[in-house]
Amino acid sequence: MRIRAQENKGRVDVKILIRHDMESGLRKSQNGNLVPAWYIHTLKVEAQGTEVFNAQFGPAVSRDPFVNFRYQGAKGDKLIVTWMDTQNDSRRDEVIVS
Amino acid sequence: MDDQRREVMRFASVFGLMASVGLIAPAKAEAWSRAAFAEKSLDAVFRVLGASGAETSSALTFTAPEIAENGAVVPVVVSSSSSAEQIAILVEKNPNPLAAQFFFTARTESFVAARIKMAETSRVYALVKAEGIWTMAVKEIKVTLGGCGG
Amino acid sequence: MSQEPSDADFNAMLKRSLRAEGIAVIERMEQDTTQALCSDPAFLNSPAGKQKAEHIQQSNWMAIKAPSDGRYIGDWKRGEAIAQSGRGGTWADSGKEPSGGGCYNCHQIDRKEIAYGTLGPSLWNYGKQRGYSKEVITYTWNKIYNAKAYQACSSMPRFGHLHLLNQQQMQDLMGLLLDPRSPVNE
Amino acid sequence: MTAHTLRLRLGLGLRLGLGLGLRLGLGLRLGLGLRLGLGLCLGLWLCASAGWVFAQSSTEDITQYRDMLSDSNPAELYIAAGEDKWNTPAGPKKTNLKYCDLGLGAGKLEGAAAQLPRYFKDTDRVQDLESRLMTCLSQLQGISEQSIIDAPFGEGPKKDLNEIVAYVVSRSKGAIIKVSTQHPKEQAIYALGKKAFYTQAGPYDFSCASCHSQDAKRIRLQELPNLTSPAGAAQAWGSWPAYRVSNGEFWTMQHRLNDCLRQQHWPYPVYGSDLTIALSMFMAVNANEGLYQAPGLKR
C-alpha cells in the first residue's frame, strides 16, 4: 500500500494506492478459463482511533485501486488503513499525517 | 447518525443480515453489502440503496472524462456542497452496476476520487446521500478501442 | 556515427536476437525486393532508388488479381467488422481464424467510430465523394489488394498480394467503402 | 440527452468559454432527459457535429482522461517494492544490489537510468537498464540470466526485475537524458539500431518507421511519437518504463519493444538481446537533452 496523508489548514488529504489484481471473475486467462473473482470489498480508514472513511467495492473497481478523500484532522494524526478482500485476505498499514 | 442508523435497520430487515437490530453499532452500517453489489440492473441497485426517487441536484459535482481510452481504468470524482453520508458510483451497462460505495462521517469532506472499470460505453451515475436524501448526477462515458486492436 | 553497419553484422545481430514463436516464424525476416528497397530511405531518395521504385510498382501491379467471381462489392456490415478488427498474424494469434483488416488503426472510415488512426487518409464518404464508377471500383480493389502498385513504399500492407485478407473479406471492405447504402456514404 | 451530446452541440467555443455555471445548468437538465433513447442522442450527435469538430474534441477529451489519471501513478507501488528488492539480500548468494554498477559507479543510482544504454567494460558490450540489471543479479546474487530471459513477462524473476527497474528509473526522474556515443561500440550499436528501425519485414511490410517516423500521427486514438525527431524520441524514451492501465501492469522498455515487434508481425525478440538494445540506443540517443520523466502512465 502507498498512503499519502497531508494536512493543510485543518484538512487532511489522503491518497491510497493498493496493489491488488481486483479480479472481476469475468476475465479469461490465456488458456481460456475464467479467472475466479478475487477483489477487495472493504477499505476503511481510522484517524486517531475513529473511523473517518469506509469504502465498499464490487468487482468493477480498477486493478491497483486508488482512492482519495479528505477529513478534518491535524498533522501527527495516526491513520490506520485496513482492507479486506473476497478471499479473506486483509492488510493493515499505518501512517502519520504530515 | 440517526438517519444512518435507520438506514441500517432498513437494510437489516430487507436482507436479514443481522439477527438483532438493537445490537447494531454505527460502524456495522458499513459491513460489506454483497447483495447490492450482486444486483444486475440499475433499477434494482437504486431500490436496494433506497435511492429510487433520486433527483439531480446542483449541489452535486461529478467529474469524469467524456472519453476513456481504456475501460479498465476510468477516473471519477464526486463531491457535494451538502454534507454527504454516502456516495455511490453506478455503471449502467456493467454486469453489476454498483461499482463502489463510500461512507462518510461528520469529519469527512463530501468528496471522493476513485477509478472504476467499464465494460463498454455507458451512462455512469454518481449518487450522493445527504441528510437522508439521495441526489444524483449522470454522465455518459465513451469507452474506446486503443492500440492496434490485436 | 553515420557509418552504415555491414549487412553481415546486421544479419548476425538479427539472427542472435530473434527466434520463432508460434506462427511468427524466423523466415518472416527474409525480405522481398519491395521490402529491401523500402528499408533504405537514403537509397530510395537517389535517382537510382527512384528508378528501382518504379520497377517495383510495376511488378506489384502485374501481380494484382481481379476477383475470381467478378464481384467487387460485398457486404458492408461484414466489411465494418473486418475494418474494426486488428487481430491476426502475430505470434499471439493461432492463425486459424481469418485476420482482421485493422483499417481503423490508420483510417477514419465510418464517422461514428471515433477511435480511428491518422496514418492514412480519411475514408469517410469514400464513395459519395468519388462516385461509384468502374474506374473508382477497380482502383480501390487494386489499392486494397496491393498498395505498393501505386506507391512502392506505401505504409499500407499488401492485403491481397500477401494473403492477409481473403477475396471475400476484400469484397466486404469494398462494400463498406463503395456501397451507396454503407453508412460511410451517408 | 447526455452531457456529452449537449457539449458537442454547443461546440468548441462554449467548451472553452463557459465555466462551471453552464455545467451546473446542464447537470439539472440531465434528470429531465434521462429517459430519452440512444437513437435520439445519436441523431442529434450526427446532425450536430462536423467531423473535424468531433476529432478535435475527442483529442481534448483524451487529454482530460490522462490528466485525471496523472495523479497517483500505480507505478509507485512497483517503485516501493523495487526499493525493498534493491536493499534486501536475495538469490543463491544472499546479497543485496548495493554494489550494482549502472555506469556511474557501484551503487550510484541518481541519474544513472537517464544515461543508459552505455558501454560496460566488464561485459564488453553496450547494455540497457534491463540487461545491465541482469548482469548485476547474476554476478551479485547468483540468479541465472537465462531464468530471467525465459520467464513470462510480469511473472517470476521478470516480475522482480520490473520492480527493480521501477525503483532505479524513479531515481532519474527529472534528469536530462545524456547517452554517450563516445565508445566505438556505442557508435556501432546506434548504427545497427538505426538500420533496424527502418528495416521492413514480415507479412505486413512493417518497420518501426512505418508508424514512428512522422509527426502528429496516431493509431486509433493513440499518438505515435516520431522517434526520428528529438522531441518525439524524448517524449517516448523519457516516459518509459510505465504503468499501463490497459492491463494494469508495469512495463519496462524491453516489454514495450517486445509488444511493438509483435504488432509489427515480426518473430520474437529475445529479452535483452542486441536488437532490442540497438533500437533502445537509437531512441535514447535521438532523445538526448530531453527530460527523463519515467516511470510514466500509459493507456
Side-chain angles (χ1 to χ4, degrees):
Chain A
M1 250 192 283
R2 292 279 286 170
I3 308 160
R4 280 184 292 167
Q6 281 176 319
E7 186 266 353
N8 183 23
K9 292 176 185 155
R11 163 209 248 192
V12 179
D13 186 67
V14 184
K15 288 178 174 161
I16 303 169
L17 259 176
I18 304 166
R19 174 77 201 95
H20 201 288
D21 285 345
M22 299 297 285
E23 287 295 351
S24 64
L26 302 169
R27 192 178 69 89
K28 280 185 179 161
S29 70
Q30 279 178 346
N31 59 27
N33 297 329
L34 279 180
V35 180
W38 185 359
Y39 53 90
I40 293 174
H41 61 69
T42 301
L43 167 73
K44 51 182 186 179
V45 182
E46 288 168 40
Q48 298 293 90
T50 315
E51 190 163 303
V52 288
F53 182 76
N54 182 306
Q56 299 189 2
F57 297 162
V61 165
S62 301
R63 192 172 184 175
D64 298 337
F66 166 74
V67 284
N68 177 201
F69 71 94
R70 297 168 189 145
Y71 77 96
Q72 292 154 26
K75 276 192 178 50
D77 277 5
K78 186 168 92 170
L79 296 188
I80 299 176
V81 182
T82 315
W83 60 251
M84 281 150 279
D85 73 18
T86 54
Q87 306 263 345
N88 285 325
D89 271 4
S90 69
R91 187 157 162 184
R92 182 178 186 275
D93 265 0
E94 291 181 13
V95 70
I96 302 295
V97 174
S98 62
Chain B
M1 194 54 78
D2 278 343
D3 281 338
Q4 195 170 347
R5 189 182 286 265
R6 262 200 298 283
E7 191 62 23
V8 174
M9 290 162 69
R10 226 175 54 78
F11 263 88
S13 63
V14 170
F15 297 106
L17 290 175
M18 297 166 197
S20 166
V21 168
L23 291 177
I24 297 168
K28 288 272 185 186
E30 294 87 29
W32 184 46
S33 51
R34 184 184 286 269
F37 285 100
E39 290 296 350
K40 292 193 188 318
S41 79
L42 201 63
D43 282 352
V45 178
F46 268 82
R47 228 174 16 248
V48 168
L49 295 175
S52 297
E55 289 181 10
T56 56
S57 158
S58 60
L60 200 170
T61 309
F62 177 27
T63 312
E66 304 278 329
I67 296 179
E69 249 180 315
N70 201 287
V73 181
V74 182
V76 290
V77 184
V78 184
S79 64
S80 170
S81 58
S82 46
S83 183
E85 299 146 26
Q86 276 186 55
I87 291 179
I89 313 281
L90 282 64
V91 182
E92 183 172 12
K93 291 204 180 157
N94 272 3
N96 306 107
L98 183 58
Q101 220 182 333
F102 306 93
F103 297 86
F104 301 91
T105 69
R107 282 174 73 193
T108 324
E109 271 185 37
S110 306
F111 161 89
V112 73
R115 295 169 184 169
I116 57 166
K117 294 178 206 163
M118 291 179 63
E120 57 186 298
T121 297
S122 170
R123 286 187 188 129
V124 179
Y125 291 72
L127 293 177
V128 172
K129 188 183 179 193
E131 288 159 13
I133 295 165
W134 285 100
T135 53
M136 68 174 191
V138 197
K139 213 170 150 75
E140 188 181 60
I141 302 177
K142 283 188 179 298
V143 173
T144 63
L145 275 177
C148 295
Chain C
M1 285 230 316
S2 54
Q3 83 276 27
E4 273 284 294
S6 75
D7 284 348
D9 283 353
F10 185 70
N11 291 332
M13 176 181 79
L14 292 183
K15 196 167 178 197
R16 63 178 183 270
S17 299
L18 292 167
R19 64 170 171 82
E21 172 82 17
I23 59 171
V25 294
I26 209 76
E27 288 74 19
R28 288 188 172 193
M29 297 311 291
E30 288 166 14
Q31 295 177 316
D32 70 3
T33 52
T34 304
Q35 292 176 340
L37 173 76
C38 300
S39 298
D40 191 348
F43 175 68
L44 187 61
N45 282 325
S46 71
K50 284 182 179 136
Q51 207 176 12
K52 178 100 190 192
E54 263 180 47
H55 284 137
I56 278 173
Q57 275 171 218
Q58 229 158 37
S59 64
N60 275 306
W61 173 263
M62 302 297 284
I64 291 174
K65 292 192 181 84
S68 60
D69 56 3
R71 222 167 50 91
Y72 280 90
I73 306 295
D75 177 348
W76 67 261
K77 281 184 191 138
R78 285 199 306 251
E80 167 70 13
I82 295 161
Q84 285 282 356
S85 168
R87 297 204 78 90
T90 76
W91 68 62
D93 298 298
S94 68
K96 286 172 195 150
E97 304 283 316
S99 293
C103 311
Y104 279 100
N105 288 351
C106 299
H107 296 282
Q108 182 183 39
I109 310 175
D110 184 343
R111 201 175 56 180
K112 285 190 281 302
E113 175 54 84
I114 57 169
Y116 61 87
T118 58
L119 282 161
S122 171
L123 306 175
W124 168 248
N125 277 176
Y126 186 89
K128 196 176 178 182
Q129 278 176 15
R130 291 165 182 78
Y132 306 98
S133 67
K134 195 165 181 293
E135 286 72 26
V136 169
I137 287 172
T138 328
Y139 165 79
T140 308
W141 174 266
N142 292 351
K143 186 89 181 176
I144 294 172
Y145 193 98
N146 191 341
K148 270 81 172 177
Y150 294 93
Q151 194 192 333
C153 295
S154 160
S155 300
M156 182 161 150
R158 295 171 282 179
F159 288 103
H161 187 74
L162 294 179
H163 312 291
L164 309 177
L165 296 174
N166 62 37
Q167 177 167 298
Q168 175 75 62
Q169 287 179 302
M170 289 191 287
Q171 288 164 334
D172 291 339
L173 284 177
M174 291 284 289
L176 181 64
L177 296 178
L178 285 167
D179 185 330
R181 292 162 299 180
S182 158
V184 170
N185 296 317
E186 260 171 26
Chain D
M1 192 185 311
T2 65
H4 190 81
T5 14
L6 278 170
R7 284 180 66 179
L8 280 170
R9 278 182 62 206
L10 293 167
L12 282 175
L14 281 180
R15 297 194 54 156
L16 297 173
L18 297 178
L20 202 62
L22 175 72
R23 292 247 194 143
L24 291 177
L26 293 182
L28 282 172
R29 289 183 57 187
L30 286 178
L32 305 171
L34 269 180
R35 305 247 184 277
L36 289 176
L38 188 66
L40 179 56
C41 290
L42 221 56
L44 279 171
W45 168 52
L46 280 179
C47 61
S49 65
W52 66 270
V53 171
F54 198 79
Q56 194 158 338
S57 65
S58 60
T59 309
E60 205 180 296
D61 289 336
I62 286 291
T63 309
Q64 181 201 9
Y65 171 71
R66 290 185 189 154
D67 286 350
M68 286 187 75
L69 281 179
S70 63
D71 185 31
S72 290
N73 184 342
E76 289 173 31
L77 298 163
Y78 290 78
I79 295 171
E83 185 171 10
D84 272 357
K85 291 218 159 63
W86 185 267
N87 292 310
T88 310
K93 295 188 183 171
K94 299 260 177 274
T95 48
N96 62 37
L97 293 167
K98 281 179 188 163
Y99 291 99
C100 176
D101 181 359
L102 296 172
L104 302 180
K108 292 233 160 58
L109 289 183
E110 240 55 49
Q115 297 185 33
L116 289 170
R118 71 191 301 152
Y119 173 76
F120 287 89
K121 209 171 172 186
D122 57 347
T123 52
D124 190 30
R125 65 185 280 232
V126 174
Q127 294 182 288
D128 65 347
L129 177 56
E130 290 94 308
S131 59
R132 185 61 190 173
L133 283 171
M134 283 201 286
T135 303
C136 287
L137 288 163
S138 137
Q139 287 178 355
L140 298 170
Q141 300 187 321
I143 293 166
S144 112
E145 288 195 36
Q146 199 60 45
S147 75
I148 301 171
I149 291 168
D150 293 343
F153 281 104
E155 293 177 29
K158 266 206 186 95
K159 178 173 174 286
D160 297 344
L161 188 61
N162 271 358
E163 293 168 352
I164 298 167
V165 165
Y167 172 56
V168 171
V169 299
S170 74
R171 302 285 296 272
S172 286
K173 206 175 177 96
I176 300 296
I177 300 166
K178 267 194 180 6
V179 177
S180 159
T181 49
Q182 295 295 306
H183 194 279
K185 289 211 173 179
E186 290 168 346
Q187 293 165 19
I189 203 153
Y190 175 88
L192 285 164
K194 183 176 182 183
K195 190 173 167 74
F197 182 85
Y198 288 103
T199 295
Q200 284 192 4
Y204 284 72
D205 301 331
F206 286 154
S207 64
C208 304
S210 306
C211 292
H212 290 290
S213 58
Q214 299 172 75
D215 288 338
K217 297 287 181 186
R218 45 175 233 233
I219 278 181
R220 291 281 185 166
L221 282 173
Q222 204 163 3
E223 301 102 23
L224 298 161
N226 178 358
L227 300 174
T228 66
S229 83
Q235 192 245 314
W237 181 257
S239 61
W240 286 93
Y243 183 86
R244 285 195 79 201
V245 300
S246 44
N247 38 28
E249 292 167 357
F250 182 84
W251 278 26
T252 69
M253 182 51 86
Q254 281 286 331
H255 198 167
R256 174 63 273 175
L257 282 172
N258 178 279
D259 206 50
C260 278
L261 291 166
R262 181 183 67 81
Q263 288 167 332
Q264 221 169 297
H265 296 81
W266 278 30
Y268 195 94
V270 174
Y271 190 85
S273 62
D274 281 341
L275 170 63
T276 62
I277 295 170
L279 288 169
S280 286
M281 189 69 175
F282 179 67
M283 257 186 284
V285 169
N286 292 349
N288 261 340
E289 304 306 324
L291 190 62
Y292 198 78
Q293 307 177 75
L297 188 70
K298 304 281 183 180
R299 181 188 67 77

